[in-house]
Amino acid sequence: MTLESGNSSSPFIFERLDVNNTALLIVDHQVGLVPLVRDYQPDEFRNNLLAHAAIGNVFNLPTVLSSTSETGPNGPLIPEIVAMHPTAPYIKRQGVIDAWDDPNFRAAVQATGKQQLILAGITTDVCATFLALSLRQEGYSVFVNAQASGAASAVVAEDAKARMRDAGVYVVSPYAIVSDLLRTWANNSYNVQTIGWDFAYWSLRGFMTDAHAAAIKNGTLVPGELDFN
């Protein structure tokens, strides 16, 4: 018996994120919605949300912020996120659930001129999924940051991610996003900023970077490992 992989008539194409064709969307990361999230611990999830927002600054990506029904129990976007992007479009939807249904949000996304969109939202099954599916219908390539999207349970989140994957959405981790945008540690345009992102939001990677620097300083680095890889 032989095993066939995928669709033999359609060869697999690895779509890479292009830093020059990518925008970042931050959807409904609101103080009143965070308590609904049960598939991550609160401190972990807060870190994930800030890490998502920071990707826009590391790579100078056009960024669009959006909230819904701020004057109700949802509350405003997390203040630290807004502070990271003081000049970004901030679309305050009046109860519109799928952000793409809001003409101001749609216009802000279209104004970026980018075809690859990174997004995260609360909740995964509604705000992130509805927008991701709408964007796919419009022909965009969509990369959903799973760790910066939260749901009422792990089961709900997994079902939502499966639904998005079925529509051709890439459901990925923040480190996969950062690595794809960086491509190589020899990328002098972004490598320093990426190391700073590691230190701020992924401490294990930050410690590894510290260890590498220490090995260089004390002369114990293995030959051939001078550069990051």
Side-chain angles (χ1 to χ4, degrees), residues 26 29-30 46 49-50 53 65 77-86:
I26 301 171
H29 284 174
Q30 295 168 249
R46 177 182 180 278
L49 299 181
L50 298 181
L65 313 178
L77 289 180
I78 295 170
E80 294 96 325
I81 292 175
V82 178
M84 287 187 198
H85 301 283

Side-chain angles (χ1 to χ4, degrees), residues 34-52 78 80-81 122 147-148 200-203:
V34 172
L36 298 178
V37 173
R38 291 291 183 269
D39 51 333
Y40 293 98
Q41 293 298 313
D43 288 345
E44 176 190 13
F45 191 58
R46 177 182 180 278
N47 183 75
N48 294 348
L49 299 181
L50 298 181
H52 177 77
I78 295 170
E80 294 96 325
I81 292 175
I122 305 173
Q147 290 173 244
Y201 304 110
W202 191 16
S203 57

Side-chain angles (χ1 to χ4, degrees), residues 15-27 52 55-56 61-65 89 98-100 105-121 127-146 149 164 167-173 176-178 180-181:
E15 182 176 0
R16 308 297 300 275
L17 278 167
D18 178 355
V19 72
N20 297 309
N21 194 31
T22 299
L24 182 76
L25 310 181
I26 301 171
V27 183
H52 177 77
I55 291 171
L61 303 178
T63 299
V64 179
L65 313 178
D98 181 352
W100 196 245
F105 180 85
R106 184 188 293 246
V109 173
Q110 292 170 337
T112 68
K114 310 303 182 183
Q115 291 301 307
Q116 294 181 312
L117 302 176
I118 301 166
L119 73 87
C127 302
T129 297
F130 289 10
L131 175 58
L133 298 182
S134 293
L135 291 170
R136 286 293 298 136
Q137 182 172 283
E138 293 291 324
Y140 289 97
S141 292
V142 182
F143 295 74
V144 169
N145 182 347
S149 302
M164 288 189 280
V169 175
Y170 303 109
V171 181
V172 293
S173 71
I177 292 168
V178 168
D180 205 9
L181 290 168

Side-chain angles (χ1 to χ4, degrees), residues 55-229:
I55 291 171
N57 289 338
V58 170
F59 295 98
N60 298 317
L61 303 178
T63 299
V64 179
L65 313 178
S66 188
S67 63
T68 185
S69 302
E70 280 200 5
T71 57
N74 292 358
L77 289 180
I78 295 170
E80 294 96 325
I81 292 175
V82 178
M84 287 187 198
H85 301 283
T87 63
Y90 183 172
I91 311 303
K92 300 181 180 182
R93 309 187 321 274
Q94 299 302 311
V96 176
I97 296 172
D98 181 352
W100 196 245
D101 290 339
D102 187 291
N104 294 320
F105 180 85
R106 184 188 293 246
V109 173
Q110 292 170 337
T112 68
K114 310 303 182 183
Q115 291 301 307
Q116 294 181 312
L117 302 176
I118 301 166
L119 73 87
I122 305 173
T123 60
T124 308
D125 51 319
V126 177
C127 302
T129 297
F130 289 10
L131 175 58
L133 298 182
S134 293
L135 291 170
R136 286 293 298 136
Q137 182 172 283
E138 293 291 324
Y140 289 97
S141 292
V142 182
F143 295 74
V144 169
N145 182 347
Q147 290 173 244
S149 302
S153 72
V155 171
V156 170
E158 291 306 314
D159 287 346
K161 287 183 277 189
R163 183 184 183 190
M164 288 189 280
R165 290 189 185 101
D166 285 345
V169 175
Y170 303 109
V171 181
V172 293
S173 71
Y175 194 62
I177 292 168
V178 168
S179 297
D180 205 9
L181 290 168
L182 181 65
R183 297 293 180 93
T184 170
W185 285 109
N187 184 344
N188 292 327
S189 296
Y190 302 110
N191 55 9
V192 173
Q193 298 95 314
T194 301
I195 291 171
W197 184 89
D198 283 344
F199 273 105
Y201 304 110
W202 191 16
S203 57
L204 293 179
R205 176 72 183 182
F207 287 133
M208 187 176 76
T209 304
D210 264 346
H212 184 87
I216 294 173
K217 184 177 180 180
N218 64 27
T220 59
L221 194 69
V222 175
E225 291 188 353
L226 181 59
D227 296 324
F228 290 103
N229 51 55

